[in-house]
Amino acid sequence: MISSDAITWNAPDDEHPARTAGQRSYAAVAKGDLDEWLTIYAEDCVLEDPVGPSMFDPEGKGHHGHEGLKAFWEKAIASVHKFEFEINDSFANPGGNTCANIGRIKTSFPDGSYTTTDLIMVYTVNDEGRIKSMKAFWEPERTMASFTSA
């Protein structure tokens, strides 16, 4: 398990490359460390967060490569004051390269307001253990409905 005060891990935690990559991603996001986050992703990665058209990806085609990740970071991560990840289940078959984590992310903004997102995040890693695909399944409308003022 990757240690971070921002991650509550209530799921299986055996050594699995995709599970570890997901944990590393959460920790880098929680620290606000874009450079570290990029090292976790393969150069030819595709990130879909959420899967399908959204305010972060109007065409729903995903964010491709490190340049795409940087653009996503600026749209979705940079303005957030604090992330809190709660992972309640994780599925990763031994010998495979994919992991699905089920959880919740609390996203707090500088003014003290926050949203809560319930989601499933699917990570696929390459032979080096770097993320080549991340698909987050969540509904923006449900997240926006959770908005709580400061």
Side-chain angles (χ1 to χ4, degrees):
M1 168 65 196
I2 304 300
S3 178
S4 170
D5 291 341
I7 303 170
T8 301
W9 193 269
N10 302 317
D13 191 29
D14 58 319
E15 288 294 320
H16 188 281
R19 184 175 286 139
T20 300
Q23 293 171 343
R24 289 182 59 216
S25 178
Y26 305 148
V29 167
K31 288 192 301 189
D33 191 332
L34 172 61
D35 292 333
E36 180 179 334
W37 191 60
L38 291 175
T39 68
I40 300 162
Y41 282 81
E43 296 289 336
D44 61 346
C45 65
V46 178
L47 178 135
E48 298 175 73
D49 187 357
V51 171
S54 73
M55 64 284 223
F56 305 128
D57 181 14
E59 294 182 17
K61 295 182 179 181
H63 306 276
H64 296 260
H66 284 194
E67 289 306 311
L69 291 181
K70 288 177 189 176
F72 174 79
W73 183 279
E74 288 305 312
K75 289 179 189 176
I77 297 173
S79 65
V80 174
H81 175 69
K82 182 179 181 181
F83 286 94
E84 296 171 76
F85 298 88
E86 179 184 333
I87 306 303
N88 294 312
D89 217 339
S90 182
F91 300 91
N93 287 338
N97 65 348
T98 301
C99 176
N101 295 331
I102 300 172
R104 170 177 284 178
I105 302 172
K106 181 178 178 184
T107 306
S108 301
F109 301 98
D111 67 357
S113 63
Y114 65 90
T115 61
T116 303
T117 304
D118 291 307
L119 72 169
I120 299 169
M121 297 159 282
V122 179
Y123 295 89
T124 303
V125 296
N126 62 20
D127 291 340
E128 291 79 42
R130 295 177 73 190
I131 299 168
K132 63 181 184 179
S133 171
M134 193 288 253
K135 294 182 178 191
F137 295 88
W138 58 278
E139 298 175 8
E141 297 79 23
R142 287 172 57 178
T143 295
M144 294 313 294
S146 78
F147 181 81
T148 304
S149 298

